[in-house]
Amino acid sequence: MGNSKQMYKTGSVVSKDSTKIGYRQMGSGPGIILLHGGVNASQHLMKLGTLLSDDFTVYIPDRRGRGMSGPVGEDYSIEKEDEDLDAMLKKTGAHYVFGTADGALFALHAAIYNPAICKVAAYEPLVFAGQPELDQFRITIQHLDKNMAEGKVAKATVDLTKDSVNFVKPIPDFIMIPLVKLILWMNVKTVKGDDVSYQELIPTLDDELHLVEKTEGTLEDYKNVSARVLLLEGSKTQSLLKESLDALNEVLPHSNLVELKGLNHDSAQDYGKPEPIARELKSFFL
């Protein structure tokens, strides 16, 4: 879970609704904010942050509901994510934002309304734009709703894995669930410092996926993004995300879409392969 040996300092801002947003900071140079995706926290972008830290002052917030930040709150919305990022931009003076997965969606959405954002790089955001695969994605959300309502974190993890990894699907739940429970327990025992356990992170995905679901019918809104946008995708990612990126690239006024060979949806994280992404970001932001 993250790499506590990497040097960073911490800080915090207060969002519009008084929610605290904690962040990690490293490096020097122009400011850049990195937004993580769903079942992740700031700890999972430390390798990418370190790769950028020679050229940028890097800020990696724990998005609300995680780690150093306050709770999601009862009236959670994409506008709350906009407000959290706005608080970070005002505190840091940064004008560059990178996001991955849901973090990429929130970075782009904030740029519709926030002129402080001059450049955005978005790695595989999902916007509901009529893709054929959306029905299956809605079923995934329904499974997660049910499991979270029943407090079944291990079962939720198994179902999410089976929905996204084909070779796991034939393995029976009576084998998978005890194994996942053991992994989650071991993870809780080993998490240190500012890092967050997966046991705590998994429930945050439920609220977040409902925000993604609400992007249906909003594609035209992204015509109002004045910032320059770099859209990034891995060659190994699923068609659902590729179609989302193609749709965004059609409507964004100032965008470029780049495919990175050999990468998948997890590549920006510490457990992925962030080096090619860092190279693209340096070329775009510098």
Side-chain angles (χ1 to χ4, degrees), residues 115-259:
I117 301 173
C118 297
K119 292 184 180 180
V120 179
Y123 188 84
E124 300 194 352
L126 175 58
V127 173
F128 276 40
Q131 301 96 313
E133 304 90 343
L134 289 176
D135 286 343
Q136 182 56 48
F137 191 77
R138 288 188 177 94
I139 292 171
T140 297
I141 296 173
Q142 291 168 10
H143 289 163
L144 187 60
D145 284 344
K146 184 175 186 295
N147 287 323
M148 289 296 95
E150 296 172 358
K152 296 179 178 178
V153 174
K155 172 72 165 125
T157 307
V158 169
D159 285 349
L160 287 167
T161 304
K162 287 187 174 184
D163 284 342
S164 58
V165 183
N166 286 328
F167 72 84
V168 176
K169 290 179 181 178
I171 304 174
D173 280 4
F174 71 83
I175 294 175
M176 288 283 290
I177 290 175
L179 178 62
V180 168
K181 284 182 176 178
L182 176 61
I183 292 169
L184 291 173
W185 178 83
M186 291 173 64
N187 176 245
V188 169
K189 295 296 182 184
T190 56
V191 165
K192 297 177 181 178
D194 299 313
D195 288 0
V196 192
S197 72
Y198 277 111
Q199 185 81 22
E200 296 175 76
L201 289 173
I202 291 164
T204 65
L205 185 61
D206 196 23
D207 289 325
E208 197 158 299
L209 289 185
H210 283 288
L211 298 194
V212 177
E213 194 173 21
K214 289 178 182 177
T215 61
E216 189 166 20
T218 67
L219 184 63
E220 294 295 305
D221 295 349
Y222 294 89
K223 287 182 175 179
N224 297 314
V225 173
S226 60
R228 286 184 57 202
V229 178
L230 174 65
L231 298 173
L232 295 171
E233 65 182 9
S235 63
K236 292 184 176 181
T237 197
Q238 55 265 58
S239 59
L240 176 69
L241 292 162
K242 286 183 176 293
E243 290 157 8
S244 173
L245 284 157
D246 288 341
L248 284 165
N249 196 38
E250 283 292 317
V251 301
L252 286 162
H254 315 288
S255 65
N256 185 33
L257 174 58
V258 174
E259 181 184 82

Side-chain angles (χ1 to χ4, degrees), residues 4-118:
S4 298
K5 293 180 181 178
Q6 291 163 321
M7 298 300 294
Y8 64 91
K9 58 184 180 180
T10 61
S12 66
V13 296
V14 178
S15 193
K16 186 177 179 180
D17 68 353
S18 300
T19 299
K20 175 188 172 185
I21 304 297
Y23 60 85
R24 305 180 189 214
Q25 176 182 340
M26 65 182 78
S28 60
I32 183 171
I33 297 170
L34 310 184
L35 299 181
H36 62 77
V39 190
N40 290 282
S42 60
Q43 70 215 54
H44 296 105
L45 292 180
M46 290 295 288
K47 284 186 180 178
L48 180 59
T50 300
L51 290 166
L52 297 172
S53 62
D54 286 345
D55 298 294
F56 301 95
T57 304
V58 181
Y59 304 92
I60 317 175
D62 278 334
R63 290 186 20 251
R64 60 170 59 207
R66 302 159 175 84
M68 296 180 285
S69 295
V72 167
E74 292 183 3
D75 55 348
Y76 181 55
S77 65
I78 200 165
E79 288 76 22
K80 295 291 184 184
E81 294 283 352
D82 290 347
E83 291 167 4
D84 297 348
L85 179 54
D86 183 56
M88 286 291 302
L89 292 164
K90 287 175 177 173
K91 170 72 178 284
T92 64
H95 297 288
Y96 302 155
V97 184
F98 165 79
T100 179
D102 297 344
L105 169 64
F106 301 146
L108 284 173
H109 189 270
I112 295 172
Y113 309 101
N114 197 326
I117 301 173
C118 297

